[in-house]
Amino acid sequence: DIQMTQSPSSLSAFVGDRVTVTCRASQSIVNYLSWYQQKPGKAPKLLIYGASSLQSGVPLRFSGSGSGTVFTLTISSLQSEDFAVYYCQQYNNWPTFGPGTKVDTK
Amino acid sequence: QVQLVESGGGLVKPGGSLRLSCAVSVSDYSMSWIRQAPGKGLEWLASISSSGMTIYYADSVKGRFTISRDNTKRSLYLQMSDLRAEDTALYYCARDRTVTHYGRYFDYWGLGTLVTVS
């Protein structure tokens, strides 16, 4: 299995801050990476696929980058509705998810 | 709008069985089951093609769980047997966006159904 790690495991930020979450794969996954947002009591929501393609309806403040083994999710200006847990997922092989990064208010 | 609604969760004793269902508003996509143990991350369990002819399982559930679908009823199922405490989780059904025969991501998710093995 391809192992996924995320850093940091949690972060605190102000509304308006630029936030970056990093995801690393145990081997190259090319660009077969997606990002999800999960709020308490809700299902995960797809934000980005193909490492950098924005899912329809997702605000433009979200962006993704990277290839190979290192990927980033960036929120350019954090909004109150963005406080959530963010997961990366590789699909170069059978799907595996990262452990998540919790973004909360400072 | 794609809607997925899971049902069938509940409390079951170790070694018991349970069948989960997912009502699917559209049936022309591959579908998957994914679970989330309390306070933990996400784990892909199984996928089934739109026709039901191609099925894949994670090693952790192979031989114990069976995924199936009935497109005439617009339903997806997960038959779980020999349940263990570590199967306690919220079980989601999700629509696949298939990239390769094993590579997929998930663009729509249900709200989940809780399975407790105790």
Side-chain angles (χ1 to χ4, degrees), chain A residues 6 38 44 85-88 96-101, chain B residues 34-45 88-92 109:
Chain A
Q6 290 181 233
Q38 187 177 33
V85 179
Y86 293 85
Y87 294 95
C88 61
T96 52
F97 294 84
T101 294
Chain B
I34 298 162
R35 70 183 176 186
Q36 186 170 35
K40 301 294 186 182
L42 298 158
E43 180 187 16
W44 168 80
L45 300 177
T88 294
L90 188 62
Y91 285 73
Y92 295 103
W109 300 59

Side-chain angles (χ1 to χ4, degrees), chain A:
Chain A
D1 286 3
I2 298 175
Q3 308 300 318
M4 306 301 291
T5 58
Q6 290 181 233
S7 60
S9 57
S10 66
L11 66 90
S12 298
F14 291 110
V15 169
D17 283 353
R18 182 181 181 88
V19 169
T20 299
V21 178
T22 299
C23 175
R24 288 181 169 83
S26 59
Q27 63 188 73
S28 176
I29 57 171
V30 193
N31 69 333
Y32 295 128
L33 185 101
S34 55
W35 288 97
Y36 301 86
Q37 176 194 67
Q38 187 177 33
K39 297 179 180 179
K42 302 292 187 181
K45 173 187 174 183
L46 176 66
L47 299 176
I48 286 168
Y49 60 95
S52 61
S53 295
L54 204 63
Q55 173 70 353
S56 176
V58 174
L60 294 176
R61 62 182 179 271
F62 290 93
S63 65
S65 65
S67 65
T69 61
V70 183
F71 302 84
T72 59
L73 171 71
T74 299
I75 308 172
S76 61
S77 178
L78 191 69
Q79 301 301 300
S80 58
E81 60 266 33
D82 301 336
F83 294 110
V85 179
Y86 293 85
Y87 294 95
C88 61
Q89 177 233 324
Q90 66 79 22
Y91 50 99
N92 186 58
N93 206 316
W94 302 113
T96 52
F97 294 84
T101 294
K102 183 177 182 180
V103 177
D104 63 17
T105 182
K106 185 178 285 185

Side-chain angles (χ1 to χ4, degrees), chain B:
Chain B
Q1 178 72 340
V2 176
Q3 290 191 328
L4 305 173
V5 181
E6 303 92 340
S7 60
L11 176 63
V12 60
K13 288 180 167 44
S17 298
L18 205 58
R19 189 176 87 153
L20 307 183
S21 299
C22 173
V24 183
S25 59
V26 291
S27 58
D28 49 352
Y29 283 84
S30 292
M31 299 291 296
S32 290
W33 287 97
I34 298 162
R35 70 183 176 186
Q36 186 170 35
K40 301 294 186 182
L42 298 158
E43 180 187 16
W44 168 80
L45 300 177
S47 294
I48 186 168
S49 62
S50 57
S51 66
M53 297 293 289
T54 304
I55 287 173
Y56 302 108
Y57 295 101
D59 287 344
S60 59
V61 302
K62 198 175 296 183
R64 298 191 301 125
F65 290 10
T66 301
I67 189 172
S68 62
R69 67 192 300 165
D70 184 339
N71 288 339
T72 65
K73 296 182 178 179
R74 296 194 173 184
S75 291
L76 174 72
Y77 305 102
L78 186 68
Q79 178 69 46
M80 305 185 295
S81 62
D82 188 24
L83 284 163
R84 308 163 181 167
E86 54 265 36
D87 296 317
T88 294
L90 188 62
Y91 285 73
Y92 295 103
C93 63
R95 190 178 84 166
D96 290 7
R97 299 310 301 268
T98 304
V99 176
T100 66
H101 82 272
Y102 41 66
R104 58 206 63 222
Y105 60 94
F106 311 101
D107 63 349
Y108 289 95
W109 300 59
L111 292 177
T113 187
L114 182 62
V115 172
T116 303
V117 184
S118 177

